[in-house]
């Protein structure tokens, strides 16, 4: 039998759609590894893994893609190597960076699905906000001691922030790394990571195949043997619902050598281009930052600007205004990053 023959027997399964899909997985710790592993085995064509952290010894009890020799190595490329060995049909790209610097808004927009396997509230809020900006669907997973939640957020529906209190929503984007989680580390184990990671993967596969899925938020309680839908209404006061209007986005060529000076060529004198990532040396902030304050010949990648990012351009004077530059792969010249 062929690699995917058993899949062909499943009602609703569409191997071709899976082969053509791109899934962005943010966070490749225990949950992200479990989910990404199942997606690769299912035959998803392209996975983008983003994680700023290194493998630690505590990952070894929960993340099936890491070995003792991997301690101290960056998680994303280490997981990518493991996935490539499991699934020759899956192209895996690794980004060792905080998500704001690792995956651009245009990549989130164009992905078939974005999966959040982050364990920092700040990072999850940031990803939820970026998916809303890009108009991308977000599948978020979280574990507790004996269960967890799987949450699907469509662009026009409730988002991750809608279910939080205003105090939790105000959590700052510091720290950037999961290792510095603002909440005390909770108990975690491989069986629970596998349970929630697999639930994420099943939901993702059904979405990618064009099949229906259950309600947006499911709470899984392995101790009680239950899976319960949780209703989260869209909160009109939630601050994460901004969307970048497509008609205000203009593409500009981008290569590994691109600098703020290259972007200036695309600006009117009264315009300033901003970045979502904090510039090196500046305190982390959720506000965008002026790229004009960075060294003009520094490379955008070194300034924490993600590949295929969409950057805001502010126009001073009257009328004040905003538009956006989309960093697009340059045709011909330079090396696309
Ligand atoms: Zn919201």
């Amino acid at each position: 039998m062929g690699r995917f023959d058993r899949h062909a027997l499943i009602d609703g399964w569409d191997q071709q759609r899976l082969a053509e899909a791109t899934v962005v997985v943010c966070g490749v710790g225990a949950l992200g590894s479990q989910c990404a592993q199942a997606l690769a085995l299912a035959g998803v064509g392209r996975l983008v893994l983003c994680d700023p952290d290194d493998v630690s010894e505590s990952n070894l009890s929960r993340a099936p893609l890491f070995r003792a020799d991997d301690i101290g190595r960056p998680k994303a490329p280490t997981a990518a190597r493991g996935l490539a060995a499991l699934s020759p049909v899956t192209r895996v790209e690794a980004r060792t960076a905080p998500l704001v610097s690792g995956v651009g808004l245009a990549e989130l927009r164009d992905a078939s699905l974005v999966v959040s396997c982050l364990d920092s509230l700040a990072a999850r809020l940031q990803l939820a906000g970026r998916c809303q900006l890009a108009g991308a669907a977000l599948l978020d997973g979280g574990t507790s001691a004996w269960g967890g939640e799987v949450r699907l957020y469509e662009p026009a529906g409730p988002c991750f922030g809608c279910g939080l209190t205003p105090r939790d929503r105000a959590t700052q984007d510091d720290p950037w790394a999961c290792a510095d989680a603002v909440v005390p580390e909770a108990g975690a184990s491989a069986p629970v990571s596998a349970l929630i990671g697999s639930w994420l993967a099943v939901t993702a596969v059904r979405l990618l195949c064009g099949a229906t899925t259950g309600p947006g938020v499911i709470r899984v309680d392995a101790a009680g043997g239950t899976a319960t839908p949780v209703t989260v209404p869209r909160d009109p006061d939630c601050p994460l619902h901004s969307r970048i209007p497509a008609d205000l986005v203009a593409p500009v060529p981008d290569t590994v050598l691109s600098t703020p000076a290259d972007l200036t060529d695309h600006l009117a004198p009264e315009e300033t281009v901003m970045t979502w990532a904090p510039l090196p040396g500046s305190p982390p902030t959720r506000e965008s930052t002026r790229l004009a304050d960075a060294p003009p010949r520094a490379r955008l990648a070194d300034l924490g600007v993600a590949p295929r990012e969409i950057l805001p351009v502010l126009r001073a004077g009257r009328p004040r205004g905003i538009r956006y530059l989309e960093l697009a792969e340059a045709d011909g010249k330079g090396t696309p990053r």
Side-chain angles (χ1 to χ4, degrees), residues 128 132 153 157-163 169 233-241:
Q132 289 280 318
Y153 300 113
C159 81
F160 177 71
C162 289
R169 282 180 200 150
R234 185 173 168 96
D235 179 354
D237 296 326
C238 174
L240 300 183
H241 296 170

Side-chain angles (χ1 to χ4, degrees), residues 18 21 27 44 67 84 124 133 151 173 181-182 184 189 202 207 212 242 260 263 272 311:
L18 293 178
V44 168
R67 303 288 177 265
R124 292 164 97 178
L133 276 174
R151 315 175 181 105
D173 288 344
V182 284
S189 68
V202 171
L207 286 166
T212 56
S242 302
L263 297 179
T272 304
L311 298 167

Side-chain angles (χ1 to χ4, degrees), residues 230-257:
V230 178
T231 302
V232 179
R234 185 173 168 96
D235 179 354
D237 296 326
C238 174
L240 300 183
H241 296 170
S242 302
R243 175 84 62 91
I244 294 176
D247 60 341
L248 295 185
V249 180
V252 293
D254 176 44
T255 74
V256 286
L257 302 178

Side-chain angles (χ1 to χ4, degrees), residues 25 50 104 121 140 323:
V25 179
C50 182
L121 178 59
D140 177 275
R323 67 183 183 98

